[in-house]
């Protein structure tokens, strides 16, 4: 039987909160139903924030506008209304608008409150939710459901388990781990600021969003030393346009995708590209322009200055299109054959990553100022980093090879979703026992429709599902709150529906 009355949610970050929000909402819609129990395994003190929205400095900005961040998969303005209800109307002396970029810790506060609200609603409709401050270490397959062994010594059985364990620690630079001057992650950025002397030369490995968080935090903390920010391509993300208007995809395109998914057939990459080009044309975007923009590798300061100008002078339609694609990105990915996914990874993913990930203009202005006054160097050609007696040596190759001597190193190459190489006991146990298989594109192999974890012998376990980065290989863009919340909503509704069916047949 695949239905359940006791549910274990492993992880208590934003994705788990979205799941619980929709689980209780779906349960409320069935008055008079018997009770259900949900245990949330989360070692942190509270449920809601997870890693991305943890308590930290306000320089950690959301990279999505306030009007588009939400715990709810079908209500984008839920957060914005919460701000209003709580009288939070200004940030940095400016009125808060739907287009503004707010601190991630503030969004974390909202998530914590959303969870508390879920608890109250759950109680009223017969769902008991408990936060267990422990890590789930192992799952044991039972005749029906799973046993969960946790770090507090408990071992309990559940009819259903939802994995929402978030991003995995970076696996880069193992040779530097343990050195007190090496920071394996920029987070919390407050720790960086406390630990790194303000006149130190700081090497930041990575030039994407996490690197920008580290630079913005050091800048806000009055750092005076040189900051060297390096990666292989030296490419900063694009700047989010300030005049963009949300533009939905055409209904016909969405219907076509849904119909293709329902057929269960693959669609050749070329056919999908053609369909996307048709959509792009309706946004007045030429696909060739996008490709050309991504190919050039300009001087970082000139790139940033161009980005600042373009972001504040006219709407950036390709960014609106990218946002709109979040509604169907999982379907697009699902339609590709394994071979086409490989081709995509080789040829289009780098362009997608370079174009799709954007950052707020306030941080872009900070970076540009620091580059102009020589405090910040951004460059490509990163080759390696080596520990010396009292410093680190960062080597870059290319037309102008350079070596930097740094007092501290920050690994900002982003998190991992590589389950196969993870040292997380829960994942290792699942993979070892064949209860799960690592997906080559990230996370675990899942059934697209249910999110059910697929075993080594190909069985779909609908009572063991995954969300967030452990679903990256199945749904592709699981590093965006709106995509994760939507997928969590779908799963929660499916689970409650299955439980309702179960309860009506006992
Ligand atoms: C730094 C950063 C900034 C981001 N900013 C944005 C943004 O501005 N806008 C946006 O749309 N998206 C953003 N994202 C992307 C996306 O919203 C996040 O990835 C999102 O937080 C993922 O939530 P999660 O709950 O899956 O993971 P997490 O937030 O990592 O939470 C997972 C939780 O699971 C717990 N856990 C892990 N293992 C176990 C275990 N074995 N047992 C019990 N508990 C466990 C952890 O303690 C953690 O609290 C950002 C991501 C990051 C990393």
């Amino acid at each position: 039987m695949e239905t359940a009355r006791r549910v274990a949610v492993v992880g208590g970050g934003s994705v788990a909160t979205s799941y619980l929000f929709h689980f209780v909402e779906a349960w409320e819609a069935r008055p008079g139903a018997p009770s259900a129990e949900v245990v949330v395994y989360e070692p942190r003190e509270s449920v809601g924030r997870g890693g991305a929205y943890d308590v930290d400095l306000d320089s950690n900005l959301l990279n999505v506008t306030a009007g588009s961040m939400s715990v709810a998969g079908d209500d984008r303005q839920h957060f914005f209304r919460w701000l209003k209800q709580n009288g939070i109307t200004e940030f940095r002396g400016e009125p808060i608008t739907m287009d503004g970029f707010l601190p991630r810790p503030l969004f974390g506060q909202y998530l914590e409150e959303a969870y508390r609200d879920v608890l109250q609603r759950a109680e009223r409709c017969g769902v008991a939710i408990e936060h267990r401050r422990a890590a789930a270490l192992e799952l044991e397959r039972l005749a029906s459901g799973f046993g969960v062994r946790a770090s507090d010594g408990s071992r309990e059985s559940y009819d259903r388990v939802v994995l929402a364990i978030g991003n995995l620690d970076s696996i880069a630079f193992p040779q530097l781990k343990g050195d007190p001057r090496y920071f394996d992650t920029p987070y919390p950025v407050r720790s960086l600021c406390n630990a790194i002397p303000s006149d130190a030369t700081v090497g930041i490995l990575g030039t994407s969003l996490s690197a920008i968080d580290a630079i913005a935090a050091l800048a806000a903390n009055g750092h005076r030393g040189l900051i060297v920010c390096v990666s292989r391509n030296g490419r900063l993300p694009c700047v989010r346009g300030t005049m963009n208007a949300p533009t939905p995809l055409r209904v016909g395109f969405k219907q076509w995708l849904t119909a293709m998914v329902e057929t269960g057939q693959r669609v050749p990459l070329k056919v999908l590209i053609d369909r996307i080009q048709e959509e792009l044309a309706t946004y007045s975007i030429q696909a060739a322009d996008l490709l050309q923009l991504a190919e050039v590798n300009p001087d970082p300061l000139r790139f940033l200055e161009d980005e600042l100008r373009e972001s504040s002078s006219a709407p950036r339609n390709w960014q609106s299109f990218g946002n709109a694609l979040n509604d169907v990105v999982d379907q697009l990915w699902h339609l590709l054959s394994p071979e086409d996914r490989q081709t995509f990874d080789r040829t289009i993913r780098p362009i997608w990553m370079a174009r799709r990930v954007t950052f707020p203009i306030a941080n872009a202005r900070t970076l540009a100022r620091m580059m102009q006054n020589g405090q910040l160097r951004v460059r490509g050609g990163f080759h390696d980093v080596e520990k010396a007696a009292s410093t680190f040596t960062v080597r870059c190759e290319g037309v102008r090879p350079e070596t930097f001597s740094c007092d501290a190193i920050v690994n900002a190459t982003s998190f991992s979703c590589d389950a196969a190489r993870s040292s997380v006991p829960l994942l290792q146990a699942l993979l070892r026992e064949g209860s799960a298989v690592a997906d080559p594109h990230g996370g675990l192999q899942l059934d697209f429709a249910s999110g059910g974890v697929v075993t080594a012998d190909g069985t779909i376990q609908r009572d063991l599902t995954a969300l967030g980065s452990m679903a990256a290989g199945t749904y592709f863009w699981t590093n965006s709150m709106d995509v994760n919340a939507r997928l969590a909503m779908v799963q929660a509704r499916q689970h409650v529906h299955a439980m309702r069916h179960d309860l009506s047949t006992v």
Side-chain angles (χ1 to χ4, degrees):
M1 188 161 48
E2 69 172 54
T3 49
R5 291 170 73 171
R6 280 203 96 214
V7 182
V9 177
V10 181
S14 58
V15 168
T17 308
S18 283
Y19 175 86
L20 294 166
F21 178 93
H22 286 293
F23 185 94
V24 170
E25 181 187 64
W27 202 271
E28 283 172 333
R30 51 195 297 281
S35 59
E37 284 173 42
V38 182
V39 174
V40 185
Y41 288 87
E42 170 56 69
R44 290 173 194 264
E45 196 179 343
S46 61
V47 173
R49 292 176 181 270
Y53 310 106
D54 205 356
V55 176
D56 204 349
L57 301 184
D58 275 356
S59 59
N60 280 354
L61 295 183
L62 292 167
N63 52 45
V64 173
T65 54
S68 296
M69 287 293 293
S70 172
V71 72
D74 56 355
D75 178 5
R76 288 275 177 93
Q77 287 166 27
H78 193 266
F79 172 52
F80 194 71
R81 289 201 303 278
W82 175 86
L83 291 167
K84 284 194 156 176
Q85 282 155 11
N86 286 277
I88 303 170
T89 53
E90 282 192 3
F91 173 55
R92 293 180 178 162
E94 299 281 333
I96 289 177
T97 63
M98 298 246 270
D99 298 333
F101 293 93
L102 299 178
R104 292 209 301 274
L106 177 63
F107 188 73
Q109 186 187 333
Y110 153 78
L111 286 169
E112 276 185 354
E113 287 200 25
Y115 173 69
R116 281 198 288 272
D117 188 49
V118 163
L119 286 184
Q120 286 178 7
R121 286 168 53 187
E123 206 176 9
R124 287 197 291 270
C125 69
V127 178
I129 301 180
E130 177 198 335
H131 171 199
R132 182 77 50 87
R133 278 199 73 182
L137 299 179
E138 205 174 349
L139 303 187
E140 182 195 356
R141 170 51 87 190
L142 306 174
S144 168
F146 286 89
V148 176
R149 186 171 70 79
S151 58
D152 60 356
S154 64
R155 193 184 284 265
E156 288 188 33
S157 52
Y158 297 92
D159 304 289
R160 181 182 291 284
V161 176
V162 180
L163 298 176
I165 62 172
N167 297 299
L168 307 174
D169 290 344
S170 167
I171 46 178
F173 315 113
Q175 76 279 18
L176 303 184
K177 283 190 203 282
D179 190 307
R181 303 156 305 159
Y182 168 68
F183 299 84
D184 201 24
T185 161
Y187 307 109
V189 292
R190 177 179 282 151
S191 303
L192 289 186
C193 294
N194 289 340
I196 299 178
S198 64
D199 57 352
T201 298
V202 183
I204 297 182
L205 309 180
T207 53
S208 198
L209 294 179
S210 303
I212 290 167
D213 281 342
I215 298 166
L218 289 168
N221 200 46
H223 190 80
R224 289 178 283 113
L226 176 68
I227 300 174
V228 182
C229 186
V230 297
S231 68
R232 289 217 179 87
N233 62 20
R235 180 187 288 283
L236 290 167
C238 293
V239 178
R240 184 78 161 217
T242 55
M243 301 167 78
N244 296 354
T247 319
L249 295 172
R250 287 185 304 176
V251 174
F253 178 57
K254 291 171 94 167
Q255 284 173 340
W256 177 76
L257 281 173
T258 305
M260 293 315 293
V261 168
E262 277 166 9
T263 65
Q265 291 166 12
R266 304 293 185 190
V267 175
L269 180 59
K270 192 182 166 328
V271 174
L272 282 185
I273 289 175
D274 287 348
R275 292 301 299 241
I276 287 174
Q277 289 205 15
E278 283 172 25
E279 280 302 303
L280 282 169
T282 68
Y283 283 68
S284 311
I285 305 165
Q286 297 298 316
D289 292 348
L290 283 182
L291 299 179
Q292 194 190 11
L293 280 167
E295 269 166 24
V296 288
N297 213 349
D299 169 76
L301 177 56
R302 187 166 52 76
F303 170 79
L304 202 51
E305 287 171 342
D306 288 350
E307 279 291 309
L308 279 167
R309 199 175 39 255
E310 283 173 29
S311 293
S312 46
S313 56
R316 308 193 85 181
N317 291 349
W318 61 267
Q319 293 184 352
S320 301
F321 180 71
N323 289 341
L325 269 191
N326 277 6
D327 283 352
V328 296
V329 70
D330 43 319
Q331 291 184 322
L332 286 166
W333 181 246
H334 177 64
L335 288 172
L336 293 177
S337 68
E339 297 72 32
D340 273 343
R341 286 183 179 189
Q342 278 178 12
T343 309
F344 177 92
D345 273 358
R346 249 193 346 268
T347 55
I348 302 178
R349 194 186 280 261
I351 299 168
W352 168 273
M353 293 308 288
R355 300 270 98 199
R356 183 65 194 89
V357 176
T358 58
F359 73 114
I361 198 158
N363 280 346
R365 290 195 179 114
T366 303
L367 263 67
R369 213 171 32 245
M370 293 170 79
M371 286 162 86
Q372 281 152 357
N373 69 23
Q375 195 195 356
L376 173 65
R377 288 281 315 277
V378 176
R379 67 154 293 168
F382 170 66
H383 184 258
D384 64 5
V385 53
E386 207 174 46
K387 214 158 43 163
S390 59
T391 56
F392 297 89
T393 305
V394 175
R395 267 185 291 270
C396 293
E397 295 183 329
V399 184
R400 286 179 301 105
E402 264 182 301
T403 299
F404 301 96
S405 174
C406 299
D407 303 307
I409 293 287
V410 181
N411 173 7
T413 56
S414 117
F415 295 93
S416 163
C417 56
D418 186 346
R421 294 171 69 191
S422 162
S423 56
V424 170
L426 180 69
L427 290 177
Q428 285 188 335
L430 283 171
L431 296 173
R432 194 175 51 241
E433 287 153 18
S435 305
V437 179
D439 190 300
H441 301 282
L444 303 172
Q445 280 184 25
L446 308 180
D447 168 50
F448 179 78
S450 64
V453 175
V454 178
T455 64
D457 67 8
T459 307
I460 297 169
Q461 304 171 92
R462 291 195 174 78
D463 51 2
L464 173 61
T465 58
L467 287 164
S469 63
M470 284 306 101
T474 306
Y475 303 123
F476 181 69
W477 196 238
T478 50
N479 24 15
S480 183
M481 183 75 202
D482 59 339
V483 176
N484 285 335
R486 173 168 59 79
L487 294 168
M489 174 182 77
V490 171
Q491 252 185 52
R493 287 179 180 171
Q494 283 177 356
H495 295 177
V496 172
H497 180 78
M499 291 164 81
R500 175 192 292 166
H501 177 261
D502 179 37
L503 293 165
S504 66
T505 53
V506 276

